[in-house]
Amino acid sequence: MNGRAMASSAPFSAAYGGDDRVVAERLLASARLDAEQEQRIDRIATRLIEAVRTDDDPLGGVEDMLREFALSTKEGLALMVLAEALLRVPDARTADQFIEDKLGEGDFIHHETKSSAFLVNASAWALGMSARVIQPGETPQGTIGRLAKRLGAPAVRAATRQAMRLMGSHFVLGETIEAALARVHAPTAARYSFDMLGEGARTAEDAQRYFNSYAYAIDAIGRSAGGRPLPERPGISVKLSALHPRFEAVSRVRVMNELMPRLIELARRAKGYDLNFTVDAEEADRLELSLDVISATFADASLKGWDGFGLAIQAYQKRAAEVIAWIDALARGHARRMMVRLVKGAYWDTEVKRAQERGLDGYPVFTRKAMTDLNYVDCARRLLALRPRIFPQFATHNALTVATVLELAGGDSGYEFQRLHGMGEALYARLSEDRPALAHRTYAPVGSHRDLLAYLVRRLLENGANSSFVALAADDAIPVRTLLRRPADIIGSAAQARHPKIPLPRDLLPHRINSRGVEFGERAALDQLVADIARAKIPARGSIADASLADAEHAIATARDGFRTWSATPAAERAGMLEKAADLLEARRAHFMALLQREGGKTLDDALSELREATDFCRYYAAEGRKLFGAGEAMPGPTGESNELRLRGRGVFVAISPWNFPLAIFLGQVTAALMAGNSVVAKPAEQTPLIAAEAVKLLHEAGVPITALRVVHGDGAIGAVLTAHPDIAGVVFTGSTEVARAINRALAAKDEPIVPFIAETGGINAMIADATALPEQVADDVVTSAFRSAGQRCSALRLLFVQEDVADRMIEMIAGAARELKIGDPADPATHIGPVIDAEAKAKLDAHVARMKKEARVHFAGGAPQGNFVAPHIFELRDASELTEEVFGPVLHVVRYGADRLETVLQAIERSGYGLTLGIHTRIDDMADAVIARLQVGNIYVNRNMIGAVVGVQPFGGHGLSGTGPKAGGPHYLTRFATEQTVTINTAAAGGNAALLSGDE
Ligand SMILES: Cc1cc2nc3c(=O)[nH]c(=O)nc-3n(C[C@H](O)[C@H](O)[C@H](O)COP(=O)(O)OP(=O)(O)OC[C@H]3O[C@@H](n4cnc5c(N)ncnc54)[C@H](O)[C@@H]3O)c2cc1C
């Protein structure tokens, strides 16, 4: 295949989370340089480190900040959080509370004199002034009054804001592109790449605004670019996530149709001024999509003849070498030059967390820092070998990395280094002194202080970590030779390529394996999954008949007979069957996902999450059951007697499950009851009988006897027959509060033994977002919590309380983000919202929407296709009391609250009588703590979305009208299905206490 064909026809593909050992073997094999080279590297790196350490820049940089407020200190962390959020808080009350909260966390006073750096002094001075009156032992709550009395709250606030601004202004080149350009407009030939700050776009308006700001900046940079040729010309760095509100793999078609033309337009402008135009590298799951956009843009005929187009490649990704080869083929195919910035990568912690959450087979990034460094050097070697078609740009502040690249480059031309504004100044100053011909470019953020501080905090977190070179170099106690240790020596052998304390996502949890997920950002995996689902042969709808009364009676009788054998089956065997069921579920993933999509209307993402949850339930209850139902627990007591407490099954459990999680909740209930030694008669929702029937078949195949598990199909009437049956030993139910009440009454009315009733019902779930919260984060989490699964989750957000000072902006962003959701066929991976379960549900929701349109203020009313679809809606209520019942669909209700009226919000939440889930978005820890302590809510989520509880991680279930507990997927669940038995044996009965008599002294 020639380069052109490859560039235009073969999308990028490489193993997403490859085996570290394999990569390490390759890297270690080529890492060694000869002794002379190594000596030169040592020499240069040492000189650069000395420059960093002796730097006495009166303004200070990131390095000074780190020296003063190390991240490992309370002050450092408090400062970060304060810096990230303070400037976006508009109201004085919240700002004061926030300052008090953060300053109460540390002792800022002693920082006053430690550093000579102006920046640190300035912020420490301001903070010290604010914090001085907080004495050890005093509570922050108590001090605010005294603080305000002595200095006046406005003075404290003003000083702290000023300190934050000062910090900000040092790391931003300018608040506008003009200001930034004015600052660099020096006679020197310094190279710059400007970065327009901001979070990624959440709405179409955001994307347009970012596009405009890039376009404007390109013109401004271009006009002042002077007459030097590339690569000496300035540049701009562009984030694709800023140019589209759904820059995600599943929205590929939209991205190609909507984002790509924008990128081409910006690139054309940059070409007009012959600038360097770099597409920044973002999260690993966006890599393939980014490369699609980049290759299509690069191929656009209008960009022919321009050598300024480029991209960033992350060396912490295992796929970096493949990306380089692919990019080279692209450039070769179009016979053009490309500029490639090699970075290590800025999202490492996010990547690790995401891979764990997604249950991936491996991490897309390395887990040892030295592997990243090793790969960086390998990638550098590759890029240097591709000169001049590729113009390498090495972005690093690591002296050893710089020295190694210099050695590999064998000269000063044909490439450049890059650094972030405010970082690496001393290092690159020394380098320029030593090698004046060597070029380096500064990546310069441009934007408001508010955006800047969020950026700065990320940089500080990244560089303050004790794995970071900048942090180590800032610490004079660390000997230079430690900093010179070669990554290959640190790794040693390929077997040690992985971090020993970062388990693979599958091995994350104790006692059981994590369920396996799929990364939708890996096209091959996504395509395979979609194809498998499309091919899956599932039984026809309507192939399952409702049970008759006789069937129900027969099921209970069979289960009653089966109970004895099943409860006598050793717990380990029962657990083994559940684990087998989990394995079968994973092996038949496509089959079950097809069922979930076709019968339950689940989107791809929802179907996968549900399959994983079902799998986790089987494994979790197996693991718990082994512990609880194995050997009994020996109780303490007098000698000559053994006392043992045992758990055993109760009898026939009736399990009644809902249609919204037809596999996970169904299997969760059934497997818990089975694990506890009960036989089970399950009655699934009448809307989703096929899924239940297939799940039961699977359990039987896994070894559960048919006498231990029976399924009875039908509606509520047959459920009522089962729960009223005299022979049952318990009921586990998930569904509406009304039905739970009816079951409770039916059970109470019987004269047979009183049996346990485990109910999980709904809720009017609320979220509180105050002015310190990040609007983009709130928008993401609200949209996910309220609209994912078409709002048909009992955990879904129904009532959002937003602090009035920020409400307009937040609601606008949430509405804008909701507008970007695709509603339609759940089989299409691009769909975010599928249908509601049936026409009856739709009619009920439509009626509510119609009423709200009359009674409430409409912020968003989406459009839905024909069929059982309900579009997302956002209504603003005057008062929370206007929402009196759970609305089980994609309808969000918003209420504004004043910062001084949080108590009213809490009372409103309490008054609903429910207590299932609650979301809190705030940077004020005291506020979160107070709300958590005050409200009796089952699952509380701080600064994240409030759905998708993970089995064994977030045990799930609520209080009050929301359910009886215990929590599903939690350590107390199984015991509720069991009965207890104490066995006491008088071991001294026959002849006396032999054990006591023969005991040693
Ligand atoms: C000009 C410029 C442009 C940039 N553009 C981008 C961009 O487009 N996209 C982007 O993602 N980043 C970008 N960055 C940020 C860049 O990734 C970081 O600055 C860089 O990681 C710091 O590397 P270093 O060599 O200076 O520091 P070092 O301290 O030597 O390396 C830090 C790196 O090691 C990684 N690391 C830390 N612990 C581990 C571990 N246990 N396992 C594996 N790896 C680990 C970190 O994630 C980080 O990547 C840019 C940086 C510069 C200077």
Side-chain angles (χ1 to χ4, degrees), residues 788-910:
R788 185 164 167 191
S789 315
Q792 301 174 113
R793 289 177 180 246
C794 39
S795 53
L797 167 63
R798 312 290 176 203
L799 191 53
L800 172 67
F801 292 93
V802 192
Q803 187 181 323
E804 60 192 4
D805 310 87
V806 291
D808 287 338
R809 182 169 145 77
M810 277 201 192
I811 297 172
E812 191 187 315
M813 194 175 284
I814 295 164
R819 188 169 287 122
E820 299 304 317
L821 297 172
K822 180 168 188 225
I823 175 163
D825 178 7
D828 176 356
T831 296
H832 300 108
I833 301 180
V836 295
I837 190 68
D838 56 20
E840 193 184 328
K842 175 174 162 58
K844 208 167 157 201
L845 288 166
D846 285 347
H848 178 77
V849 165
R851 184 164 72 79
M852 283 290 116
K853 279 184 173 166
K854 285 196 216 109
E855 295 174 7
R857 180 171 165 200
V858 182
H859 283 287
F860 179 65
Q866 284 292 312
N868 288 339
F869 294 97
V870 177
H873 282 79
I874 303 174
F875 298 112
E876 184 174 336
L877 309 178
R878 275 174 304 276
D879 192 277
S881 61
E882 292 166 45
L883 183 66
T884 51
E885 56 171 7
E886 182 182 29
V887 177
F888 212 67
V891 185
L892 175 68
H893 308 83
V894 185
V895 175
R896 293 172 200 243
Y897 75 94
D900 56 344
R901 314 252 312 152
L902 184 63
E903 177 56 28
T904 328
V905 171
L906 303 186
Q907 283 170 7
I909 294 171
E910 274 178 337

Side-chain angles (χ1 to χ4, degrees), residues 281 314 344-346 348 367-369 372 396-398 462 469:
Q314 296 158 325
K344 289 182 188 167
W348 182 76
T367 49
R368 290 190 68 189
K369 158 82 166 57
T372 295
T396 175
H397 310 107
N398 181 324
E462 176 187 301
F469 178 84

